[in-house]
Amino acid sequence: MRLQRIMIPVAALSVMFLLPAAAVEPSVSERQQLVEPSSISFQIPMNNYCSPENSLDFSFQLSNASNSAADITVRFFEQDGTEFKEEGSSYREIESDITPGKPMKLQAHATGLYHINFGNHKQCSERVYLGEIAVNSGQVSLLATGWVNTAGVNEKVIVNENRKFDLSAPVSLSGTSGK
């Protein structure tokens, strides 16, 4: 009786391991999208003196190196992790057409721009320290850079070591077959 109690579970497990599982093989484009990240994060060097007399200018640019439009969202975060969604400012040939937290289409080979001042336009306590670029659909190749200016000195915002980076929207494998 004791041997029979042991053999039934062992036999059931053996059968379970012998039955092949149905394989779900992603397509070539899905495999590529599974390898590429859907977002990239970067630091913004804002830990500096800030006041109306010592304001900080933050400028950022994002270029689409793809041959098709990029469906993306740019986000900025304050020191405590609060998402910063303030529209940028434009003056003296510095432009702003990126709205943080808002999805946008960036045409092939086009560049989106963002600029804001902390100390005068926005409170110093609202400074941003972290940025994120996320793709909403498809695949894109992007370049990004920026600077923070305080007292006439620029400190670079470095994204992906100033090299092009590829992002892909997450792929759902449900319903995918190996055909």
Side-chain angles (χ1 to χ4, degrees), residues 76 78 82-86 100 114 116 118 122 126 128:
F76 298 122
E78 297 174 22
T82 301
E83 189 170 356
F84 182 83
K85 295 184 177 185
E86 183 74 22
Y114 184 78
I116 199 158
F118 294 94
K122 296 302 293 174
E126 296 175 278
V128 294

Side-chain angles (χ1 to χ4, degrees), residues 22-153:
V24 176
E25 179 94 13
S27 70
V28 173
S29 66
E30 288 172 334
R31 276 194 302 272
Q32 184 177 1
Q33 286 181 297
L34 290 172
V35 172
E36 295 169 349
S38 61
S39 66
I40 188 168
S41 296
F42 54 93
Q43 289 196 309
I44 303 167
M46 284 278 193
N47 191 23
N48 210 326
Y49 300 107
C50 185
S51 68
E53 299 79 32
N54 274 335
S55 65
L56 298 169
D57 279 300
F58 168 52
S59 187
F60 181 74
Q61 66 186 48
L62 177 64
S63 299
N64 181 357
S66 302
N67 290 325
S68 59
D71 179 15
I72 56 175
T73 301
V74 176
R75 291 182 176 87
F76 298 122
F77 299 91
E78 297 174 22
Q79 183 182 4
D80 67 359
T82 301
E83 189 170 356
F84 182 83
K85 295 184 177 185
E86 183 74 22
E87 287 187 20
S89 59
S90 298
Y91 71 98
R92 294 174 51 194
E93 299 300 317
I94 292 180
E95 301 296 325
S96 282
D97 54 16
I98 294 172
T99 302
K102 183 178 176 186
M104 65 180 281
K105 288 266 191 222
L106 187 59
Q107 295 305 314
H109 309 291
T111 298
L113 305 167
Y114 184 78
H115 174 266
I116 199 158
N117 175 280
F118 294 94
N120 292 315
H121 182 75
K122 296 302 293 174
Q123 297 294 314
C124 290
S125 61
E126 296 175 278
R127 288 176 285 180
V128 294
Y129 292 86
L130 178 69
E132 178 188 66
I133 304 162
V135 63
N136 302 320
S137 64
Q139 297 172 282
V140 296
S141 290
L142 304 166
L143 290 154
T145 190
W147 50 261
V148 175
N149 182 297
T150 182
V153 176

Side-chain angles (χ1 to χ4, degrees), residues 40-43 142-146 156-165:
I40 188 168
S41 296
F42 54 93
Q43 289 196 309
L142 304 166
L143 290 154
T145 190
K156 292 182 179 184
V157 173
I158 299 172
V159 181
N160 196 45
E161 299 175 353
N162 292 321
R163 297 188 331 243
K164 181 177 82 164
F165 53 94

